[in-house]
Structure formats: C-alpha cells, structure tokens
Coordinates of all heavy atoms in Angstrom, one line a residue:
M121 N 30.6 -15.8 33.9 CA 29.2 -16.1 34.2 C 29.0 -17.5 34.7 O 28.2 -17.6 35.6 CB 28.3 -15.7 33.0 CG 28.3 -14.2 32.8 SD 27.1 -13.6 31.5 CE 26.8 -15.0 30.4
E122 N 29.8 -18.5 34.1 CA 29.7 -19.7 34.6 C 30.4 -20.0 35.9 O 29.8 -20.6 36.9 CB 30.4 -20.7 33.5 CG 29.5 -20.9 32.3 CD 30.3 -21.8 31.3 OE1 31.0 -22.7 31.8 OE2 30.0 -21.6 30.1
E123 N 31.6 -19.4 36.1 CA 32.3 -19.7 37.3 C 31.6 -19.1 38.5 O 31.6 -19.7 39.6 CB 33.7 -19.0 37.1 CG 34.7 -19.4 38.3 CD 36.0 -18.8 38.1 OE1 36.4 -18.7 37.0 OE2 36.8 -18.7 39.1
Y124 N 31.0 -17.9 38.4 CA 30.4 -17.3 39.7 C 29.0 -17.4 39.6 O 28.2 -16.8 40.4 CB 30.9 -15.8 39.7 CG 32.4 -15.7 40.0 CD1 33.3 -15.3 39.0 CD2 32.8 -16.1 41.2 CE1 34.6 -15.3 39.3 CE2 34.3 -16.0 41.5 CZ 35.2 -15.6 40.5 OH 36.4 -15.5 40.8
R125 N 28.4 -18.0 38.5 CA 27.0 -18.3 38.3 C 26.2 -16.9 38.3 O 25.1 -16.8 38.9 CB 26.4 -19.1 39.4 CG 27.1 -20.6 39.3 CD 26.4 -21.5 40.3 NE 27.4 -22.8 40.3 CZ 27.3 -23.7 39.6 NH1 26.3 -23.8 38.6 NH2 28.0 -24.8 39.7
F126 N 26.7 -15.9 37.6 CA 26.0 -14.7 37.4 C 25.0 -14.9 36.2 O 25.4 -15.6 35.4 CB 26.9 -13.5 37.0 CG 27.8 -13.0 38.2 CD1 29.2 -12.7 37.9 CD2 27.2 -12.9 39.5 CE1 29.9 -12.2 38.9 CE2 28.1 -12.4 40.5 CZ 29.4 -12.1 40.3
D127 N 23.9 -14.2 36.2 CA 22.9 -14.4 35.1 C 22.8 -13.1 34.4 O 22.1 -12.9 33.5 CB 21.6 -14.8 35.6 CG 20.9 -13.8 36.6 OD1 21.5 -12.9 37.0 OD2 19.7 -14.1 36.9
G128 N 23.7 -12.0 34.9 CA 23.5 -10.7 34.2 C 24.6 -9.8 34.7 O 25.4 -10.1 35.6
F129 N 24.7 -8.7 34.0 CA 25.6 -7.6 34.4 C 24.8 -6.3 34.4 O 24.0 -6.0 33.7 CB 26.7 -7.4 33.4 CG 27.7 -8.5 33.4 CD1 27.5 -9.8 32.8 CD2 29.0 -8.3 34.1 CE1 28.4 -10.8 32.9 CE2 29.9 -9.3 34.2 CZ 29.6 -10.5 33.7
R130 N 25.2 -5.4 35.4 CA 24.6 -4.1 35.6 C 25.7 -3.2 35.3 O 26.9 -3.2 35.9 CB 24.2 -3.9 37.0 CG 23.6 -2.5 37.4 CD 23.2 -2.5 38.7 NE 22.5 -1.2 39.1 CZ 23.1 -0.4 40.0 NH1 24.2 -0.8 40.7 NH2 22.6 0.7 40.3
F131 N 25.5 -2.2 34.3 CA 26.4 -1.1 34.0 C 25.8 0.0 34.8 O 24.7 0.6 34.6 CB 26.4 -0.9 32.5 CG 26.9 -2.1 31.9 CD1 26.1 -3.1 31.4 CD2 28.4 -2.2 31.6 CE1 26.7 -4.2 30.7 CE2 28.9 -3.2 31.0 CZ 28.1 -4.3 30.5
D132 N 26.7 0.6 35.7 CA 26.2 1.7 36.6 C 26.7 3.0 36.1 O 27.8 3.1 35.5 CB 26.9 1.5 38.0 CG 26.3 2.4 39.0 OD1 25.2 2.8 38.9 OD2 27.1 2.8 40.0
G133 N 25.9 4.1 36.3 CA 26.3 5.4 35.8 C 26.4 5.6 34.3 O 27.4 6.3 33.9
V134 N 25.5 5.0 33.6 CA 25.6 5.0 32.1 C 25.6 6.4 31.5 O 26.3 6.8 30.6 CB 24.6 4.1 31.5 CG1 24.5 4.2 30.0 CG2 24.9 2.6 31.9
T135 N 24.8 7.3 32.2 CA 24.7 8.7 31.7 C 26.1 9.4 31.7 O 26.5 10.1 30.8 CB 23.6 9.5 32.3 OG1 22.4 8.8 32.3 CG2 23.5 10.8 31.9
S136 N 26.8 9.2 32.8 CA 28.1 9.8 33.1 C 29.0 9.2 32.1 O 30.0 10.0 31.7 CB 28.6 9.4 34.5 OG 27.8 10.0 35.5
M137 N 28.9 8.0 31.5 CA 29.8 7.4 30.6 C 29.4 8.0 29.3 O 30.4 8.2 28.5 CB 29.6 5.8 30.6 CG 30.2 5.2 31.7 SD 29.8 3.4 31.7 CE 30.4 2.8 30.1
L138 N 28.1 8.0 28.8 CA 27.7 8.2 27.4 C 27.9 9.6 27.0 O 27.9 9.9 25.7 CB 26.3 7.8 27.3 CG 26.2 6.3 27.1 CD1 24.5 6.0 26.9 CD2 26.8 5.6 26.0
Y139 N 27.9 10.6 27.9 CA 27.8 12.0 27.5 C 29.0 12.8 28.0 O 29.3 12.6 29.2 CB 26.5 12.6 27.9 CG 25.3 12.0 27.3 CD1 24.6 11.0 27.9 CD2 25.0 12.2 25.9 CE1 23.5 10.3 27.3 CE2 24.0 11.6 25.4 CZ 23.1 10.6 26.1 OH 22.2 10.0 25.4
H140 N 29.6 13.6 27.2 CA 30.6 14.5 27.7 C 30.2 15.4 28.9 O 31.0 15.7 29.7 CB 31.1 15.3 26.5 CG 31.8 14.4 25.4 ND1 33.0 13.8 25.6 CD2 31.5 14.2 24.2 CE1 33.2 13.1 24.5 NE2 32.3 13.4 23.6
H141 N 28.9 15.7 28.9 CA 28.5 16.6 30.0 C 28.1 15.8 31.2 O 27.8 16.3 32.2 CB 27.2 17.4 29.6 CG 26.1 16.6 29.0 ND1 25.4 15.8 29.8 CD2 25.6 16.6 27.8 CE1 24.5 15.2 28.9 NE2 24.6 15.8 27.7
H142 N 28.2 14.4 31.1 CA 28.1 13.5 32.2 C 26.7 13.5 32.9 O 26.4 13.2 34.0 CB 29.1 13.7 33.3 CG 30.5 13.6 32.8 ND1 31.1 12.4 32.3 CD2 31.5 14.5 32.7 CE1 32.2 12.7 31.8 NE2 32.5 14.0 32.0
G143 N 25.6 14.3 32.1 CA 24.4 14.4 32.7 C 24.2 15.5 33.6 O 23.2 15.7 34.2
I144 N 25.2 16.2 33.9 CA 25.3 17.3 34.9 C 24.6 18.5 34.2 O 25.1 19.0 33.1 CB 26.7 17.7 35.4 CG1 27.3 16.5 36.1 CG2 26.6 18.9 36.2 CD1 28.7 16.7 36.3
G145 N 23.5 19.0 34.9 CA 22.8 20.1 34.3 C 22.1 19.9 33.0 O 21.6 20.8 32.3
S146 N 21.8 18.6 32.8 CA 21.1 18.2 31.5 C 19.9 17.3 31.9 O 20.0 16.6 32.8 CB 22.0 17.5 30.6 OG 23.1 18.3 30.2
G147 N 18.9 17.5 31.0 CA 17.8 16.6 31.2 C 17.2 16.3 29.8 O 17.4 17.2 28.9
F148 N 16.5 15.3 29.7 CA 16.0 14.9 28.3 C 14.6 15.0 28.2 O 13.9 14.6 29.1 CB 16.4 13.5 27.9 CG 17.9 13.3 27.8 CD1 18.5 12.2 28.3 CD2 18.7 14.2 27.0 CE1 19.9 12.1 28.2 CE2 20.0 14.1 26.8 CZ 20.6 12.9 27.5
S149 N 14.0 15.8 27.3 CA 12.6 16.0 27.2 C 11.9 14.9 26.3 O 10.7 14.7 26.3 CB 12.3 17.3 26.5 OG 12.7 17.2 25.1
G150 N 12.7 14.0 25.6 CA 12.2 13.0 24.7 C 12.6 13.3 23.3 O 12.4 12.4 22.5
D151 N 13.1 14.5 23.0 CA 13.6 14.8 21.7 C 14.8 14.0 21.4 O 15.8 14.1 22.0 CB 13.9 16.3 21.6 CG 14.2 16.7 20.2 OD1 14.4 15.9 19.3 OD2 14.5 18.0 20.0
Y152 N 14.7 13.2 20.2 CA 16.0 12.4 19.9 C 17.2 13.2 19.8 O 18.3 12.7 20.0 CB 15.7 11.5 18.7 CG 14.9 10.3 19.0 CD1 13.7 10.1 18.2 CD2 15.1 9.5 20.0 CE1 12.9 8.9 18.4 CE2 14.3 8.3 20.2 CZ 13.2 8.2 19.4 OH 12.5 7.1 19.6
A153 N 17.1 14.5 19.3 CA 18.3 15.2 19.2 C 19.1 15.4 20.5 O 20.3 15.6 20.5 CB 18.0 16.6 18.6
E154 N 18.5 15.4 21.6 CA 19.1 15.4 23.0 C 19.9 14.1 23.3 O 20.8 14.2 24.1 CB 18.1 15.7 24.0 CG 17.3 16.9 23.8 CD 16.2 17.1 24.7 OE1 15.6 16.0 25.3 OE2 15.7 18.2 25.0
Y155 N 19.6 13.1 22.6 CA 20.2 11.7 23.0 C 21.5 11.5 22.0 O 22.3 10.7 22.5 CB 19.3 10.5 22.8 CG 18.1 10.6 23.8 CD1 16.9 11.2 23.5 CD2 18.2 10.2 25.1 CE1 15.8 11.1 24.3 CE2 17.2 10.1 26.0 CZ 16.0 10.6 25.7 OH 15.0 10.8 26.5
F156 N 21.4 12.1 20.8 CA 22.4 11.8 19.9 C 23.1 13.1 19.4 O 22.5 14.2 19.5 CB 21.8 11.1 18.7 CG 21.1 9.8 19.0 CD1 19.6 9.8 19.0 CD2 21.7 8.7 19.4 CE1 18.9 8.7 19.4 CE2 21.0 7.6 19.7 CZ 19.7 7.6 19.8
G157 N 24.4 13.0 19.0 CA 25.0 14.2 18.5 C 26.4 14.3 19.1 O 27.0 13.3 19.6
L158 N 27.0 15.5 19.2 CA 28.3 15.7 19.5 C 28.7 15.5 21.0 O 29.7 15.3 21.4 CB 28.7 17.1 19.1 CG 28.8 17.4 17.6 CD1 29.2 18.9 17.4 CD2 29.8 16.5 16.9
Q159 N 27.5 15.5 21.8 CA 27.6 15.3 23.2 C 27.9 13.9 23.6 O 28.2 13.6 24.7 CB 26.4 15.9 24.0 CG 25.1 15.1 23.9 CD 24.3 15.5 22.6 OE1 24.8 16.4 21.8 NE2 23.0 15.1 22.6
V160 N 27.7 12.9 22.7 CA 27.9 11.5 23.0 C 29.3 11.2 22.9 O 30.1 11.6 22.0 CB 27.1 10.7 21.9 CG1 27.4 9.2 22.1 CG2 25.6 10.9 22.1
D161 N 29.9 10.5 23.9 CA 31.2 9.9 24.0 C 31.1 8.6 23.1 O 30.6 7.6 23.7 CB 31.6 9.7 25.4 CG 33.0 9.2 25.6 OD1 33.5 8.6 24.7 OD2 33.6 9.5 26.7
E162 N 31.7 8.7 22.0 CA 31.6 7.4 21.1 C 32.4 6.2 21.7 O 31.9 5.1 21.5 CB 32.1 7.9 19.7 CG 31.1 8.9 19.1 CD 31.7 9.3 17.6 OE1 32.8 8.8 17.2 OE2 31.0 10.1 17.0
D163 N 33.4 6.4 22.4 CA 34.2 5.4 22.9 C 33.4 4.5 23.9 O 33.4 3.4 23.9 CB 35.4 5.8 23.5 CG 36.5 6.3 22.6 OD1 36.4 5.9 21.4 OD2 37.4 7.1 22.9
S164 N 32.7 5.4 24.8 CA 31.7 4.8 25.7 C 30.6 3.9 25.1 O 30.3 2.9 25.5 CB 31.2 5.8 26.8 OG 32.2 6.3 27.4
L165 N 30.0 4.6 24.1 CA 29.0 4.0 23.3 C 29.3 2.6 22.7 O 28.8 1.6 22.9 CB 28.4 4.9 22.2 CG 27.3 4.3 21.4 CD1 26.0 4.1 22.3 CD2 26.9 5.4 20.4
V166 N 30.6 2.6 22.1 CA 31.1 1.4 21.4 C 31.4 0.3 22.6 O 31.1 -0.9 22.3 CB 32.3 1.8 20.6 CG1 33.1 0.5 20.2 CG2 32.0 2.5 19.4
Y167 N 32.0 0.8 23.7 CA 32.3 -0.1 24.8 C 31.0 -0.9 25.3 O 30.9 -2.1 25.4 CB 32.8 0.6 26.0 CG 32.8 -0.2 27.3 CD1 33.7 -1.3 27.4 CD2 31.9 0.1 28.2 CE1 33.6 -2.1 28.6 CE2 31.8 -0.6 29.4 CZ 32.7 -1.6 29.6 OH 32.6 -2.4 30.8
L168 N 29.9 -0.1 25.5 CA 28.6 -0.7 25.9 C 28.0 -1.6 24.9 O 27.5 -2.6 25.2 CB 27.7 0.4 26.4 CG 28.0 1.2 27.6 CD1 27.1 2.4 27.8 CD2 27.9 0.3 28.9
M169 N 28.2 -1.2 23.7 CA 27.6 -2.0 22.6 C 28.4 -3.4 22.5 O 27.8 -4.4 22.3 CB 27.6 -1.3 21.2 CG 26.7 -0.1 21.1 SD 26.9 1.0 19.7 CE 26.7 -0.2 18.4
L170 N 29.6 -3.2 22.5 CA 30.5 -4.4 22.4 C 30.3 -5.3 23.7 O 30.2 -6.5 23.5 CB 32.0 -4.0 22.3 CG 33.1 -5.0 22.1 CD1 32.8 -6.0 20.9 CD2 34.4 -4.5 22.2
A171 N 30.4 -4.7 24.9 CA 30.1 -5.5 26.1 C 28.8 -6.3 26.0 O 28.7 -7.4 26.3 CB 30.2 -4.7 27.3
N172 N 27.7 -5.6 25.5 CA 26.4 -6.3 25.4 C 26.4 -7.3 24.5 O 25.9 -8.5 24.7 CB 25.4 -5.1 25.1 CG 24.0 -5.6 25.3 OD1 23.6 -6.1 26.3 ND2 23.2 -5.6 24.2
H173 N 27.0 -7.2 23.3 CA 27.1 -8.0 22.3 C 27.9 -9.3 22.7 O 27.4 -10.5 22.6 CB 27.8 -7.5 21.0 CG 28.0 -8.5 19.9 ND1 27.0 -9.1 19.2 CD2 29.1 -9.2 19.5 CE1 27.4 -9.8 18.3 NE2 28.8 -10.0 18.5
I174 N 29.0 -9.1 23.3 CA 29.8 -10.2 23.9 C 29.1 -11.1 25.0 O 29.0 -12.4 24.9 CB 31.2 -9.8 24.5 CG1 32.1 -9.3 23.3 CG2 31.9 -10.8 25.2 CD1 33.3 -8.6 23.6
L175 N 28.5 -10.4 25.9 CA 27.7 -11.0 26.9 C 26.5 -12.0 26.4 O 26.4 -13.1 26.8 CB 27.2 -10.1 27.9 CG 28.2 -9.4 28.8 CD1 27.5 -8.2 29.5 CD2 28.7 -10.3 29.9
H176 N 25.9 -11.4 25.4 CA 24.8 -12.2 24.7 C 25.2 -13.2 23.9 O 24.5 -14.2 23.6 CB 23.8 -11.2 24.1 CG 22.9 -10.5 25.1 ND1 23.2 -9.3 25.7 CD2 21.8 -10.9 25.9 CE1 22.4 -8.9 26.6 NE2 21.5 -9.9 26.7
T177 N 26.4 -13.1 23.3 CA 27.0 -14.1 22.5 C 27.4 -15.4 23.3 O 27.2 -16.4 23.0 CB 28.3 -13.6 21.7 OG1 27.8 -12.6 20.8 CG2 28.9 -14.7 20.9
L178 N 28.0 -15.1 24.5 CA 28.5 -16.2 25.4 C 27.2 -16.7 26.2 O 27.3 -17.9 26.4 CB 29.3 -15.5 26.5 CG 30.6 -14.9 26.1 CD1 31.4 -14.2 27.3 CD2 31.5 -16.1 25.5
N179 N 26.1 -16.0 26.4 CA 24.9 -16.5 27.1 C 23.8 -15.7 26.5 O 23.5 -14.7 26.9 CB 25.1 -16.5 28.6 CG 23.9 -17.0 29.3 OD1 22.9 -17.2 28.7 ND2 24.1 -17.1 30.6
K180 N 22.9 -16.4 25.6 CA 21.8 -15.7 25.1 C 20.8 -15.2 26.0 O 20.0 -14.4 25.7 CB 21.3 -16.6 23.9 CG 20.5 -17.8 24.4 CD 20.0 -18.6 23.2 CE 19.4 -19.9 23.7 NZ 18.1 -19.8 24.5
D181 N 20.7 -15.8 27.3 CA 19.8 -15.5 28.2 C 20.3 -14.5 29.3 O 19.6 -14.2 30.2 CB 19.3 -16.8 28.9 CG 18.7 -17.7 28.1 OD1 17.8 -17.2 27.2 OD2 18.8 -19.0 28.2
C182 N 21.5 -14.0 29.0 CA 22.1 -13.1 29.9 C 21.3 -11.8 30.0 O 20.7 -11.3 29.0 CB 23.5 -12.7 29.4 SG 24.3 -11.5 30.4
I183 N 21.3 -11.2 31.2 CA 20.5 -10.0 31.4 C 21.5 -8.8 31.5 O 22.6 -8.9 32.3 CB 19.7 -10.0 32.7 CG1 18.6 -11.1 32.6 CG2 19.0 -8.7 33.0 CD1 18.0 -11.4 33.9
T184 N 21.3 -7.7 30.7 CA 22.2 -6.6 30.9 C 21.2 -5.4 31.4 O 20.1 -5.2 30.7 CB 23.0 -6.2 29.7 OG1 22.0 -6.1 28.5 CG2 24.0 -7.3 29.3
I185 N 21.8 -4.7 32.3 CA 20.9 -3.5 32.8 C 21.8 -2.3 32.8 O 22.9 -2.3 33.3 CB 20.5 -3.9 34.3 CG1 19.6 -5.0 34.2 CG2 19.7 -2.6 34.9 CD1 19.3 -5.6 35.6
A186 N 21.2 -1.2 32.3 CA 22.0 0.0 32.4 C 21.3 1.0 33.3 O 20.1 1.3 33.2 CB 21.9 0.7 31.0
E187 N 21.9 1.5 34.4 CA 21.5 2.3 35.4 C 22.0 3.8 35.0 O 23.1 4.0 34.8 CB 21.9 1.9 36.7 CG 21.4 2.7 37.9 CD 22.3 3.8 38.3 OE1 23.5 3.8 38.0 OE2 21.7 4.8 38.9
V188 N 21.0 4.6 35.1 CA 21.4 6.1 34.8 C 22.0 6.7 36.1 O 21.6 6.3 37.2 CB 20.2 7.0 34.3 CG1 19.7 6.4 33.0 CG2 19.1 7.0 35.3
S189 N 22.7 7.7 35.9 CA 23.3 8.5 37.0 C 22.3 9.1 37.9 O 21.2 9.6 37.4 CB 24.2 9.5 36.5 OG 25.2 8.9 35.7
H190 N 22.6 9.1 39.1 CA 21.6 9.7 40.2 C 21.3 11.2 39.8 O 20.2 11.7 39.8 CB 22.1 9.5 41.6 CG 21.2 10.1 42.5 ND1 20.0 9.7 42.8 CD2 21.4 11.3 43.3 CE1 19.5 10.5 43.7 NE2 20.3 11.4 44.0
M191 N 22.4 11.9 39.5 CA 22.3 13.3 39.2 C 21.2 13.5 38.1 O 20.4 14.3 38.1 CB 23.6 14.0 38.8 CG 24.4 14.3 39.9 SD 25.9 15.1 39.1 CE 26.5 15.9 40.4
F192 N 21.5 12.8 37.0 CA 20.7 12.9 35.8 C 19.2 12.5 36.1 O 18.3 13.1 35.7 CB 21.2 12.1 34.7 CG 20.2 12.0 33.5 CD1 20.2 13.1 32.6 CD2 19.6 10.9 33.2 CE1 19.3 13.1 31.6 CE2 18.6 10.9 32.1 CZ 18.6 12.0 31.3
S193 N 19.1 11.3 36.8 CA 17.6 10.8 36.9 C 16.8 11.7 37.8 O 15.6 11.8 37.8 CB 17.7 9.4 37.5 OG 18.3 9.3 38.8
S194 N 17.4 12.4 38.8 CA 16.7 13.3 39.6 C 16.2 14.5 38.8 O 15.3 15.3 39.4 CB 17.5 13.8 40.7 OG 18.7 14.6 40.4
E195 N 16.8 14.8 37.7 CA 16.3 15.9 36.8 C 15.2 15.6 35.8 O 14.6 16.4 35.3 CB 17.5 16.6 36.1 CG 18.5 17.1 37.0 CD 19.7 17.6 36.2 OE1 19.6 17.8 35.0 OE2 20.8 17.9 36.9
I196 N 14.8 14.4 35.8 CA 13.8 13.9 34.8 C 12.4 14.3 35.5 O 12.2 14.0 36.7 CB 13.8 12.4 34.5 CG1 15.2 12.2 33.8 CG2 12.7 12.1 33.7 CD1 15.4 10.8 33.5
H197 N 11.4 14.9 34.8 CA 10.2 15.2 35.4 C 9.1 14.5 34.7 O 9.1 14.3 33.6 CB 10.0 16.8 35.4 CG 11.0 17.6 36.0 ND1 11.0 17.7 37.3 CD2 12.1 18.2 35.6 CE1 12.1 18.3 37.7 NE2 12.8 18.8 36.6

C-alpha cells in the first residue's frame, strides 16, 4: 500500500468464493440461514477474514470492498 499508494483493496466475485454453489441459481431473501451453513466455503471465509485483518493492521484507514458476483447480484429482487 505504501509503495503503490493504494488506499484499499477490492475483492471481486466474493459470492463465487464464499459459497460452494458459487451463487449460481441461488438468491438470498434475507434469512440468515441462507448465508451460513454447509454451503459456505470455510477456506474462502477464513482467507477474506485474514486478508481484511492484515490490511487493517497495516493501515487502519485502509478500505476493503467486497463485490458480489454478477450472476448472483442479478438474481436479487
């Protein structure tokens, strides 16, 4: 972040990372059971949590943005 003067990181396609179904054919109604459970890829979740923690440890003002997959976001009503 210092060398290239970035102020944040964007994680693209997070839905594809976080869920074994990759967001294909799935939509969330708001029920928490849809967000958590066996469909969650725990390795991806840990990666995003660790990356976010490290980035904010290195620079407390760092911005992290998670972008949902296009396929998934088009199914939200």
